[in-house]
Amino acid sequence: MDERLKGKGPYTIFVPLDSAFDQLSEAQRQRLMENDEAMSKLISRHIVSGRIGMTDLMQMDEVETIDGNAVALASGPGPNLRYGGSEVVKGNLAAGNGIVHVVDRVLM
């Protein structure tokens, strides 16, 4: 995954808070740590091709992740945005190869 992200971009990445991983069961965390394929799939669910800022995301119903799956987007009252079952808690963070939005849950 590291090589892919260094390649042609840009990317929009939804990064879970550390506390989001605390919400996973011990068995889920262990499986991810021991299984590279499971970890790669998890990471892929949080990455979208292209640089998509919050304003644009709030106008969309869904995005397609780099693994080809659709993730629903929903904007709530005010500046709230939901990515799948998570809430974007901080958005539009510039990154070397795209943009980062911080979310409060891990999409399993």
Side-chain angles (χ1 to χ4, degrees):
M1 189 60 63
D2 200 31
E3 285 303 313
R4 182 171 188 171
L5 293 177
K6 287 180 184 175
K8 187 177 181 180
Y11 296 101
T12 298
I13 304 177
F14 294 87
V15 177
L17 294 165
D18 288 342
S19 60
F21 287 96
D22 294 339
Q23 296 171 20
L24 300 178
S25 70
E26 182 62 35
Q28 287 173 313
R29 287 193 300 269
Q30 191 68 32
R31 179 175 172 262
L32 291 170
M33 297 304 292
E34 293 173 353
N35 185 323
D36 289 342
E37 185 177 338
M39 181 63 84
S40 181
K41 285 182 180 181
L42 174 94
I43 292 168
S44 294
R45 282 186 208 106
H46 294 82
I47 303 173
V48 175
S49 291
R51 186 180 196 284
I52 310 171
M54 288 289 288
T55 302
D56 291 329
L57 288 168
M58 293 181 86
Q59 305 304 313
M60 302 167 73
D61 294 327
E62 67 182 24
V63 290
E64 183 177 322
T65 62
I66 61 171
D67 63 358
N69 290 306
V71 175
L73 297 170
S75 54
N80 297 336
L81 176 69
R82 298 194 68 75
Y83 175 77
S86 63
E87 183 173 344
V88 176
V89 295
K90 189 165 189 165
N92 292 337
L93 303 172
N97 199 13
I99 191 167
V100 172
H101 306 292
V102 180
V103 294
D104 67 350
R105 289 184 51 198
V106 177
L107 274 95
M108 296 295 292

